[in-house]
C-alpha cells in the first residue's frame, strides 16, 4: 500500500500539506475575531465596515463619488442589499447619498466627516489587531509571511 506525503507522519514538526489550509483558516478566523472586537466600539457590523472602507477608498482614489451599483458589485451583493447597508451608514451619519447628476436613476455615496473619522479609527483598530496577532513573529518571519501571502493572492480571482 503506497502512501502520499499528506499521510506520512511529520518527522520535522512541519505541518502536512493538508494542515496548511486548516492553519490558515484558523489564523484568518483569529485575526477576524480580534479585529471585530476592536471594531465593536464603533457600532458597525462587518458588512457596514466593509462598505464604508470601499466607499472611503473610492473617495480617496476617484474623481467622482461611488455609485450604489458599483458598491454592490464591490461587495458581491445585489443592489437592494447594498441599499440596506447604506441606509444604516446614512442613519449613523457616516455616509451621504446624492443623486448622480450624470444619471438621475443612479445614486452616489460619499463618506461624511464622521465617516472619515470612523475610517481612521477602523484603520487603527485593524492595525492594532494585526500587530497583536503578528507580535509572535520575528520581523524576518513577518516579511516571509507577507511575501508568501502576496504570492498566494497575486492573480486573485473571485468565482461568480
Amino acid at each position: 500500500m503506497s502512501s502520499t506525503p499528506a499521510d506520512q507522519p511529520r518527522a520535522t514538526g512541519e505541518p502536512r500539506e493538508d494542515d496548511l489550509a486548516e492553519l490558515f483558516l484558523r489564523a484568518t478566523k483569529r485575526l477576524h475575531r480580534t479585529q471585530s472586537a476592536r471594531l465593536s466600539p464603533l457600532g458597525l457590523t462587518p458588512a457596514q465596515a466593509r462598505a464604508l472602507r470601499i466607499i472611503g477608498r473610492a473617495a480617496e482614489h476617484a474623481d467622482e463619488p461611488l455609485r450604489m451599483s458599483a458598491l454592490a458589485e464591490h461587495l458581491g451583493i445585489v443592489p437592494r442589499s447594498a441599499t440596506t447597508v447604506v441606509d444604516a451608514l446614512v442613519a449613523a451619519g457616516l455616509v451621504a447619498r446624492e443623486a448622480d447628476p450624470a444619471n438621475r436613476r443612479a445614486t452616489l455615496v460619499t463618506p461624511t466627516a464622521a465617516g472619515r473619522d470612523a475610517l481612521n479609527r477602523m484603520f487603527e483598530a485593524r492595525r492594532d489587531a494585526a500587530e497583536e496577532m503578528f507580535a509572535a513573529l520575528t520581523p524576518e518571519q513577518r516579511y516571509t509571511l507577507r511575501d508568501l501571502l502576496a504570492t498566494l493572492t497575486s492573480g486573485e480571482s473571485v468565482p461568480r
Side-chain angles (χ1 to χ4, degrees), residues 2-100:
S2 68
S3 64
T4 65
D7 295 330
Q8 296 176 7
R10 293 175 268 170
T12 62
E14 291 184 24
R16 296 186 323 231
E17 216 173 296
D18 61 340
D19 288 338
L20 290 176
E22 178 62 26
L23 290 169
F24 186 79
L25 181 61
R26 288 173 47 198
T28 301
K29 285 181 178 181
R30 178 179 169 209
L31 183 59
H32 181 73
R33 281 191 311 270
T34 305
Q35 288 179 347
S36 292
R38 290 181 179 270
L39 289 172
S40 67
L42 298 176
L44 296 172
T45 67
Q48 292 166 350
R50 185 166 179 247
L52 185 56
R53 278 195 311 273
I54 291 167
I55 294 166
R57 239 188 337 253
E60 290 176 4
H61 302 293
D63 293 333
E64 59 187 51
L66 188 65
R67 284 189 175 162
M68 288 283 293
S69 58
L71 175 62
E73 188 175 315
H74 283 292
L75 291 171
I77 60 177
V78 297
R80 175 67 193 120
S81 296
T83 298
T84 302
V85 172
V86 170
D87 285 346
L89 293 173
V90 169
L94 301 176
V95 300
R97 233 190 293 234
E98 63 184 73
D100 185 344

Side-chain angles (χ1 to χ4, degrees), residues 79-140:
R80 175 67 193 120
S81 296
T83 298
T84 302
V85 172
V86 170
D87 285 346
L89 293 173
V90 169
L94 301 176
V95 300
R97 233 190 293 234
E98 63 184 73
D100 185 344
N103 179 350
R104 64 186 179 115
R105 294 176 300 171
T107 301
L108 303 174
V109 288
T110 56
T112 62
R116 287 187 293 278
D117 181 55
L119 282 165
N120 288 334
R121 289 183 289 149
M122 286 169 49
F123 174 77
E124 291 170 9
R126 289 171 58 111
R127 185 195 62 224
D128 291 347
E131 285 179 8
E132 178 182 320
M133 180 164 170
F134 298 122
L137 302 177
T138 66
E140 294 79 19

